[in-house]
Amino acid sequence: MPIMISRSTDLPIDLDAAKKVLRVDFDDDDDMIRDLIDGETRRYEDFARRIVAQTVFRFRSAGWFTRIPIDIDPIRSIAGVFYLDPDMQEVALASAAYRFVPCSQGGYLGIYSDWPRPDLADVAFPVWFDVVAGADLPADSPAVAPLDPADRMNILHMVKQIYDHDDPLTEEQLRRRFSGRRLLW
């Protein structure tokens, strides 16, 4: 199970764009709308099993395996692979020793089989790696990748439901409306 290390504080949907959809032309509700965007983005990510806001996750491994599955989608990059040596010193693995292999959902970290694996500390999970995930559509820079338009509209729909009716979409309503965006693994 990955651990969230950091999450972008930028809203995946611009406040002005949300206000336009909500037909709000005043600033009194800006903080509430920001909170709704953030909360409904997280709900949507949980439902769709897709990372929208750029997030860094840490995965841990019990040792050197040729393939380590990464069940997060979409994956932007591997930020680094690290291990504890027998002296309990943290060491960064050279990027030439591993690669990210994308799959239709997520991917895996591949450690090259001809790479000489160093000895590890005698602890439960001496190997870990950080994965940058989120924002589907690639751009020139992973830091500015735009949000998929379908995800954007789905999140705006969820925000509008709460803002207009003070009642979030139920799990059943989410399934009916957005099941095509849900990753099944």
Side-chain angles (χ1 to χ4, degrees), residues 1-167:
M1 189 71 170
I3 301 165
M4 185 181 2
I5 301 298
S6 66
R7 182 177 172 91
S8 173
T9 56
D10 296 335
L11 292 176
I13 296 170
D14 181 63
L15 177 64
D16 291 332
K19 287 172 70 171
K20 184 180 279 188
V21 168
L22 298 172
R23 297 186 177 136
V24 173
D25 60 359
F26 51 90
D27 298 335
D28 296 351
D29 288 351
D30 284 4
D31 289 340
M32 180 180 68
I33 294 170
R34 279 188 198 94
D35 290 345
L36 288 174
I37 293 169
D38 183 52
E40 291 306 279
T41 298
R42 291 173 189 258
R43 267 188 79 215
Y44 182 74
E45 287 176 332
D46 288 344
F47 171 79
R49 297 183 185 108
R50 299 163 49 79
I51 305 303
V52 173
Q54 194 161 35
T55 308
V56 178
F57 292 94
R58 177 160 292 165
F59 287 78
R60 296 194 159 282
S61 175
W64 298 119
F65 299 103
T66 305
R67 290 173 57 138
I68 303 171
I70 305 171
D71 60 352
I72 289 180
D73 195 70
I75 298 170
R76 303 293 295 159
S77 64
I78 303 294
V81 178
F82 309 91
Y83 65 95
L84 288 176
D85 70 9
D87 296 326
M88 297 297 286
Q89 297 297 312
E90 180 180 317
V91 181
L93 186 63
S95 61
Y98 65 89
R99 70 190 182 289
F100 168 65
V101 179
C103 297
S104 60
Q105 295 173 351
Y108 65 88
L109 174 70
I111 306 291
Y112 289 112
S113 58
D114 61 349
W115 174 70
R117 289 154 169 72
D119 291 334
L120 299 171
D122 188 21
V123 295
F125 297 101
V127 177
W128 66 94
F129 57 98
D130 295 341
V131 174
V132 180
D136 288 317
L137 302 175
D140 292 339
S141 165
V144 296
L147 179 60
D148 183 299
D151 290 332
R152 181 180 182 280
M153 290 309 302
N154 292 342
I155 294 166
L156 282 170
H157 181 79
M158 294 169 69
V159 168
K160 185 167 177 47
Q161 173 70 24
I162 293 178
Y163 188 83
D164 289 348
H165 304 288
D166 200 25
D167 191 26

Side-chain angles (χ1 to χ4, degrees), residues 173-185:
Q173 290 169 319
L174 290 172
R175 272 196 291 279
R176 274 197 318 264
R177 293 179 189 269
F178 310 136
S179 63
R181 298 299 292 170
R182 193 171 206 178
L183 297 178
L184 303 173
W185 49 31

